[in-house]
Each structure stands twice: as structure tokens, then as C-alpha cells.
């Protein structure tokens, strides 16, 4: 019979000292991230005591802690760099599974005293600084900027959607975001990424509608050296490789051609990509968040979107409500946008008049938050004081005040109207058409295909109109 060594015969204070001598700082948390145990060496480094730390959330005691995340996801994180007290420690975080049940997590941090840290720092700190420099440079354009705190709104419909997104952010499953243009789908994707265990890795947003069809495959999956004429020497990494261990956000997935849908499905199934011109597949660990304003179920019925891909993407579906359905949120969002625009225009203390707030609440906002931001930016451009009045709003928002014709008018008023300069109907229509195009481009963030769709005109006709009005 094999005898299993036990620790009953070792005094408890011996075990504590053995842990300290092992050279690691140790913390144990439950499923909610509450500290159940932390050794003295760790507390000494943190500038606290065991008595003060026990029973508190790990993130309130340990700087940049992720113990509460590991305790919920059950995903271990090994050799992670963790900044604590101005130093970079190496942390290991393990899920604690007892009798097949996830009950909490165990975390360890290397280096037991300042001398050990200084020795390490002298040896490799310059390498850390060099890596951080290139990491910052490489990830400058692939860092997720938004958090759930940036998603503004208290309406019941929006709060419910935000709560759902927050709850599923720790999952590894694919997410499908549905909503009209300008509702903030990329902000939601960014917030989900930043609240996940992938937050330390890249967030790579891709607009599938803006990439020409013949370039889409090489942009997503990269290409090998000599894959085609003009290919970069040595090949090029695609967006999926850039997003490895992080999140890739495929915006306007409904505009992806059928041929590319098949290749994307293979990536989701096999978790590997094949670069254009390549002979060997490359494994990738990427979470997919897709978004569209289209009705994918109708597209599946029409045969323009693959049913199997739809089911792969539609694991967690989140429908973001349009601004017109978010009662009470317009003023809140407007003031949040004003703070952002004040920094852009080097202004402070800009307010909205009561009539402007009323007018904003009455509008249907077909362009949603993007349109609201465009309206506020236009208003600030023509603003002299600190309060935005109705007169500062675009014409289509003040039609009720300036565009109506009185039922009766006296002779003096008729004379004044006659003396005014009246543009021809052709000129008036041209101005209105040009302004409509500019508004659509502003709402679509410069995306001409999306602007044409908003205006319900063909791509060719839209480009012709842009040429006529010298809109680039």
C-alpha cells in the first residue's frame, strides 16, 4: 500500500514559514474574489497586514489584481507581468478546483525581498524597457479605448443591454452585436474586451465594408513572401495574427462576401489561419465579436449569408437599442459628448438651453449617437457664447422655428420678404442635396458606402454627386 504524505504532523506556524521561505507571496480568494488567505511576506510588501487584508476584495488590497477574474473564469494565467508599488512582478494565477468544483483561485508573486528584486532588475530591466517600448509602438493603434463606464445611459432598455454585455464579457464565446449605425457597437465591443481576461492583449477592430473584396483575405489572414505581385518582402501578418490572444471586432459582418464567409467559418472551427500563398496553417487564439446593422436572419433565408457561420457568430446576441428608444438618455449623452468636444475645441462650460434640450428630445435620430455628436460639433463651430441655442442647431432641427410660414401676414411683412434675396429652386435643391451628403458622411464617419446606404442611393450615383459638389 502506498503511503500518501500528510501535513497533519507539521505545525501550522511551520507551514506558514515554509511558504515564506519558498520565496513566493501567496494569496487565496473565493469565487467572488474575497481574500481568504494571504501570507505575511505578501502583506509586508503591500504595506498592509494579514488582519487588514483578510475578508476584502483582492482588487482593493493588491494593485492591478486579476484574482477575481481567474476565480470566475477558471482560466489560469501564468508568468503574467503585474505592476505593483512601482515595480513589475511576475504573477501566476491558478483556479482552485476542489472535487471538480471551481471554488476560488490561488495567486503567487515571485521575489521575496527588495534585494532579490534589485538583482533581477539590474539583470533584465533594460530588456523590459526595450520590450515595453516596442510593445507600446506596435499596439498604439490596437489598444482598446473604451470601458463600460464610457457607455452612458440610464434608460431601462440601455441598462439591460449594458448589464448583459458586462455579464458575458468574461466568457470566451463569440458575441454578435446588432444595432443601427451610430448606436455604439464598437464601444460595446471595446468595453467587453476591456472587461475580459484578454484585456492585456490587442483589440483589433475591422470594418468589413471598408476593405475592398480582393484585399479582404490578405488583410484578415496575411500573406507569405511572394504570394502575389507587389507583395511585401517577407510577407505580412494579418489582423487575426495581430489580435492573437486578444479580441478581433468584425464590424459590418453582413457586408462580407460569401467566399470570405467560408474562410472565416474555417478559422472559427479550426482556430487556425492560412495566409495567402502559405503552405502551413498558423494557430490563433482570438475571441470574435461581430456586429452589423443588417438583418442576418433574412440574409440567411436569401442565401447571402451562410447559415452555419451565423450560428457560429450568434452564440451571444446583444441588440443595442437606437437612441429614439432610449427615453431620457439624449440629454445625458449630449453633455457627455460636449465634454469630449470641449477638449477638441479648447472650450469650457458649454451648456444647452432648455429649448435645445427639448428639440433634441423630440428628434428621431436616424443617425443615433453619431448624428448627435455631429449636431453638437456643428453647433460649437457657430457658437459665440457658452450656451447652445436653437439658432445654433442645423436647419433640419430648427425647421419648426425658422421654416414655417405664417398663416397671415400684413403688408409690411410682405414687402420685407420681397426685398430678401431668394435663391432659385435649383440652387436651393442643390444646397439641400449637398448638405444631406455631408450629414450622411459625418454620421457614417466618412464611410461613403455607408453614407450612400443611409441616403438610399446607389454607390455610382453617390460618387457622381460627391464629384459634382467637390466633396472628397
Amino acid at each position: 500500500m502506498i503511503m500518501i504524505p500528510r501535513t497533519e504532523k507539521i505545525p501550522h506556524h511551520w507551514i506558514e514559514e515554509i511558504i515564506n521561505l519558498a520565496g513566493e507571496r501567496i494569496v487565496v480568494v473565493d469565487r467572488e474574489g474575497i481574500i481568504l488567505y494571504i501570507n505575511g511576506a505578501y502583506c509586508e510588501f503591500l504595506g498592509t497586514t494579514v488582519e487588514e487584508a483578510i475578508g476584502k476584495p483582492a482588487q482593493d488590497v493588491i494593485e492591478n489584481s486579476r484574482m477575481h477574474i481567474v476565480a470566475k473564469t477558471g482560466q489560469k494565467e501564468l508568468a503574467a507581468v503585474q505592476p505593483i508599488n512601482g515595480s513589475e512582478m511576475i504573477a501566476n494565477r491558478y483556479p482552485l478546483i476542489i472535487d471538480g468544483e471551481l471554488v476560488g483561485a490561488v495567486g503567487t508573486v515571485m521575489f521575496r525581498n527588495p534585494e532579490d528584486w534589485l538583482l533581477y532588475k539590474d539583470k533584465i530591466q533594460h530588456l523590459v524597457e526595450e520590450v515595453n517600448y516596442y510593445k507600446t509602438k506596435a499596439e498604439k493603434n490596437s489598444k482598446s479605448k473604451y470601458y463600460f463606464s464610457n457607455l452612458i445611459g440610464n434608460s431601462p432598455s440601455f441598462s439591460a443591454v449594458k448589464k448583459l454585455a458586462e455579464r458575458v464579457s468574461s466568457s470566451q464565446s463569440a458575441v454578435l452585436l446588432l444595432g443601427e449605425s451610430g448606436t455604439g457597437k464598437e464601444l460595446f465591443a471595446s468595453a467587453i474586451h476591456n472587461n475580459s481576461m484578454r484585456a492585456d492583449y490587442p483589440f483589433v477592430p475591422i470594418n468589413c465594408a471598408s476593405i475592398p473584396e480582393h484585399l479582404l483575405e490578405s488583410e484578415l489572414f496575411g500573406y507569405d513572401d511572394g504570394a502575389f505581385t507587389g507583395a511585401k518582402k517577407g510577407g505580412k501578418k494579418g489582423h487575426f495574427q495581430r489580435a492573437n490572444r486578444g479580441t478581433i471586432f468584425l464590424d459590418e459582418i453582413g457586408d462580407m462576401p460569401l467566399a470570405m464567409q467560408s474562410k472565416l467559418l474555417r478559422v472559427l472551427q479550426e482556430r487556425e489561419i492560412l495566409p495567402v500563398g502559405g503552405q502551413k496553417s498558423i494557430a490563433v487564439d482570438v475571441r470574435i465579436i461581430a456586429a452589423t446593422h443588417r438583418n442576418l436572419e433574412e440574409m440567411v433565408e436569401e442565401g447571402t449569408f451562410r447559415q452555419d457561420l451565423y450560428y457560429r457568430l450568434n452564440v451571444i446576441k446583444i441588440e443595442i437599442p437606437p437612441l429614439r428608444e432610449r427615453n431620457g438618455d439624449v440629454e445625458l449623452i449630449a453633455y457627455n459628448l460636449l465634454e469630449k468636444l470641449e477638449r477638441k475645441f479648447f472650450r469650457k462650460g458649454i451648456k444647452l438651453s432648455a429649448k435645445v434640450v427639448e428639440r433634441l428630445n423630440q428628434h428621431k435620430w436616424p443617425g443615433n449617437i453619431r448624428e448627435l455628436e455631429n449636431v453638437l460639433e456643428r453647433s460649437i463651430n457657430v457658437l459665440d457664447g457658452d450656451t447652445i441655442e436653437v439658432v445654433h442647431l442645423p436647419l433640419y432641427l430648427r425647421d419648426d422655428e425658422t421654416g414655417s410660414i405664417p398663416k397671415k401676414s400684413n403688408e409690411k411683412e410682405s414687402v420685407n420678404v420681397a426685398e430678401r434675396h431668394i435663391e432659385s429652386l435649383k440652387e436651393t435643391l442643390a444646397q439641400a442635396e449637398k448638405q444631406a451628403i455631408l450629414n450622411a458622411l459625418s454620421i457614417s464617419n466618412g464611410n461613403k458606402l455607408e453614407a450612400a446606404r443611409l441616403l438610399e442611393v446607389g454607390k455610382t450615383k453617390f460618387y457622381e454627386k460627391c464629384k459634382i459638389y467637390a466633396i472628397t
Side-chain angles (χ1 to χ4, degrees):
M1 183 176 177
I2 299 174
M3 298 296 292
I4 300 174
R6 296 285 190 176
T7 59
E8 289 92 338
K9 294 184 178 180
I10 303 176
H12 176 77
H13 63 280
W14 283 29
I15 296 175
E16 179 81 20
E17 186 58 23
I18 289 168
I19 291 173
N20 289 334
L21 289 172
E24 293 194 348
R25 303 181 178 94
I26 295 180
V27 62
V28 180
V29 301
D30 64 14
R31 281 296 304 275
E32 303 305 317
I34 304 299
I35 296 176
L36 301 179
Y37 171 83
I38 185 169
N39 67 330
Y42 206 163
C43 287
E44 183 180 351
F45 176 71
L46 294 171
T48 186
T49 64
V50 173
E51 292 74 20
E52 289 177 346
I54 297 291
K56 290 184 178 178
Q59 58 267 40
D60 291 351
V61 177
I62 305 168
E63 187 180 357
N64 297 307
S65 175
R66 290 177 54 82
M67 292 296 295
H68 55 300
I69 296 175
V70 175
K72 283 190 180 297
T73 64
Q75 301 290 325
K76 64 183 177 182
E77 299 180 0
L78 302 181
V81 177
Q82 179 174 341
I84 301 179
N85 292 352
S87 301
E88 286 179 319
M89 300 300 175
I90 307 299
N92 293 316
R93 309 179 187 101
Y94 306 89
L96 188 58
I97 300 173
I98 306 297
D99 296 329
E101 181 184 356
L102 178 63
V103 296
V106 179
T108 66
V109 176
M110 292 173 61
F111 308 114
R112 63 181 180 184
N113 55 49
E115 289 74 24
D116 285 352
W117 163 243
L118 289 172
L119 182 63
Y120 157 80
K121 187 174 182 179
D122 289 341
K123 285 183 177 180
I124 68 167
Q125 184 63 19
H126 67 285
L127 295 177
V128 172
E129 291 172 356
E130 188 174 344
V131 168
N132 283 339
Y133 169 77
Y134 287 110
K135 183 180 177 184
T136 302
K137 187 175 180 180
E139 295 181 356
K140 187 176 181 182
N141 295 321
S142 57
K143 192 69 176 173
S144 180
K145 296 185 252 184
Y146 302 103
Y147 298 79
F148 280 109
S149 58
N150 299 120
L151 302 179
I152 307 300
N154 295 325
S155 61
S157 61
F158 185 76
S159 297
V161 168
K162 183 177 174 181
K163 187 176 180 180
L164 172 62
E166 225 168 335
R167 190 161 62 243
V168 304
S169 58
S170 60
S171 166
Q172 297 298 309
S173 301
V175 176
L176 180 61
L177 299 174
L178 301 178
E180 298 176 5
S181 294
T183 50
K185 295 188 288 293
E186 184 170 342
L187 270 68
F188 264 86
S190 180
I192 290 170
H193 169 79
N194 265 333
N195 202 49
S196 74
M197 61 182 295
R198 297 176 178 269
D200 292 334
Y201 299 99
F203 173 77
V204 181
I206 308 297
N207 189 315
C208 300
S210 66
I211 302 175
E213 185 174 343
H214 67 283
L215 295 178
L216 193 54
E217 183 177 3
S218 62
E219 285 294 308
L220 292 181
F221 308 139
Y223 57 80
D224 277 3
D225 190 5
F228 49 83
T229 304
K232 183 180 177 183
K233 185 175 176 59
K236 178 185 174 184
K237 284 185 178 182
H239 294 308
F240 270 84
Q241 280 180 275
R242 286 178 51 220
N244 192 39
R245 302 183 72 183
T247 304
I248 192 164
F249 174 53
L250 299 175
D251 197 8
E252 300 302 349
I253 191 74
D255 291 294
M256 182 175 281
L258 274 169
M260 274 304 302
Q261 291 177 29
S262 301
K263 293 177 181 179
L264 176 60
L265 179 64
R266 180 183 177 277
V267 173
L268 293 176
Q269 291 173 333
E270 307 296 332
R271 302 185 70 82
E272 60 183 26
I273 60 167
L274 181 65
V276 175
Q279 303 299 317
K280 184 179 178 182
S281 295
I282 300 171
V284 289
D285 173 19
V286 174
R287 185 185 192 182
I288 303 280
I289 300 180
T292 183
H293 70 281
R294 292 171 174 256
N295 188 324
L296 292 186
E297 291 180 359
E298 286 184 2
M299 293 180 68
V300 168
E301 291 178 5
E302 295 165 358
T304 54
F305 199 87
R306 289 185 64 110
Q307 185 178 55
D308 42 9
L309 176 59
Y310 172 67
Y311 288 129
R312 281 279 180 176
L313 296 173
N314 191 28
V315 179
I316 300 169
K317 181 165 71 174
I318 298 175
E319 298 189 52
I320 304 171
L323 194 52
R324 63 182 172 275
E325 294 178 9
R326 295 173 55 181
N327 295 332
D329 281 352
V330 173
E331 183 178 1
L332 200 62
I333 296 169
Y335 272 104
N336 181 261
L337 291 172
L338 281 177
E339 288 182 17
K340 171 185 169 183
L341 292 168
E342 282 177 343
R343 291 190 293 271
K344 179 178 179 179
F345 287 91
F346 305 100
R347 301 281 297 269
K348 281 186 179 181
I350 297 177
K351 301 182 289 294
L352 303 172
S353 72
K355 285 188 177 180
V356 166
V357 171
E358 182 183 357
R359 196 63 55 88
L360 296 183
N361 284 325
Q362 290 171 347
H363 188 56
K364 296 301 182 184
W365 299 109
N368 293 291
I369 297 171
R370 197 175 290 148
E371 181 187 359
L372 176 57
E373 183 173 5
N374 175 54
V375 165
L376 294 173
E377 182 171 350
R378 188 266 183 198
S379 301
I380 292 174
N381 271 296
V382 298
L383 181 65
D384 293 324
D386 294 328
T387 302
I388 296 176
E389 302 286 356
V390 173
V391 69
H392 301 124
L393 297 175
L395 187 61
Y396 71 93
L397 280 175
R398 48 189 168 100
D399 274 346
D400 290 343
E401 187 165 290
T402 60
S404 58
I405 301 174
K407 292 181 180 179
K408 295 181 181 180
S409 57
N410 56 35
E411 186 177 348
K412 184 177 181 181
E413 285 175 332
S414 300
V415 171
N416 287 340
V417 169
E419 289 175 351
R420 294 175 190 163
H421 170 67
I422 303 296
E423 290 183 335
S424 68
L425 181 60
K426 183 178 179 180
E427 289 175 327
T428 303
L429 290 173
Q431 286 294 329
E433 192 171 57
K434 181 179 180 180
Q435 188 59 48
I437 292 172
L438 290 171
N439 287 340
L441 284 169
S442 179
I443 291 168
S444 66
N445 206 22
N447 186 328
K448 289 187 176 181
L449 289 175
E450 176 63 22
R453 192 179 296 115
L454 288 172
L455 294 172
E456 299 180 3
V457 297
K459 181 176 71 173
T460 303
K461 185 175 181 180
F462 182 83
Y463 277 89
E464 287 175 353
K465 293 291 185 182
C466 286
K467 188 175 182 180
I468 292 170
Y469 299 123
I471 299 172
T472 56

